[in-house]
Amino acid sequence: MGYRMLLAFLMLGGAGTPALAEFCGSPPIAPVLASADEMKQKSARDAATAKHDAFVEIRTWQSDLKTYRACLVNIVNQNKRDIATLDPVKDADKIKGVQSSAKAANHAYDATVDMEERVVNEFHAVQAAYCARTDVDKSSCPK
């Protein structure tokens, strides 16, 4: 949907989180990683596969996050342009709706950053558990 449709939607009072869902969809679902304890219990081969698969899944998820975040940024940028064209006196209610949409988009963006940080920390725990083992190839471990 184009920006004109977004603007029309916002002008009709439909600003907020439902607008984000309609235009950007849901945020990508974070991958589920093995825990550090599970990594210790796996065979060396299974642990290596789990670590590699986690890395690939995270990279794919981050790519999807990039697309989702770009959509959110586009909403915020369009909202800024829309506010600049509105009269603060005559269009106060419209401005509130557009500001609400921008706030929701910023909140959704921040939530994805928090989720990404959590997933990366989980991956580092998986990687540390893998690299602490004595029976694995440590060539992929940080030095």
Side-chain angles (χ1 to χ4, degrees):
M1 295 188 172
Y3 290 115
R4 290 185 186 149
M5 292 184 79
L6 173 60
L7 180 59
F9 181 77
L10 294 174
M11 295 301 179
L12 292 173
T17 305
L20 297 178
E22 183 175 336
F23 295 103
C24 296
S26 298
I29 297 172
V32 176
L33 308 179
S35 70
D37 287 337
E38 291 171 334
M39 288 298 286
K40 293 174 186 175
Q41 295 172 2
K42 292 180 181 291
S43 70
R45 171 179 263 158
D46 289 345
T49 299
K51 183 173 91 61
H52 174 74
D53 290 350
F55 178 80
V56 171
E57 288 176 23
I58 290 170
R59 296 298 297 193
T60 301
W61 175 67
Q62 286 175 320
S63 177
D64 294 342
L65 270 180
K66 185 177 180 179
T67 302
Y68 179 73
R69 287 175 178 160
C71 179
L72 297 174
V73 168
N74 286 337
I75 287 175
V76 171
N77 290 340
Q78 183 62 44
N79 288 343
K80 288 177 183 177
R81 289 189 293 271
D82 294 344
I83 288 172
T85 65
L86 296 173
D87 183 309
V89 175
K90 293 191 300 187
D91 299 322
D93 289 339
K94 291 178 186 177
I95 290 172
K96 280 185 182 179
V98 174
Q99 288 172 331
S100 175
S101 174
K103 184 177 179 180
N106 281 325
H107 178 72
Y109 189 100
D110 291 346
T112 67
V113 171
D114 293 343
M115 175 61 76
E116 185 175 23
E117 183 177 347
R118 190 169 78 241
V119 168
V120 169
N121 287 338
E122 288 174 7
F123 177 75
H124 285 296
V126 166
Q127 184 179 40
Y130 174 84
C131 294
R133 294 175 62 138
T134 58
D135 61 343
V136 297
D137 175 14
K138 296 187 184 206
S139 62
S140 66
C141 295
K143 305 230 182 304

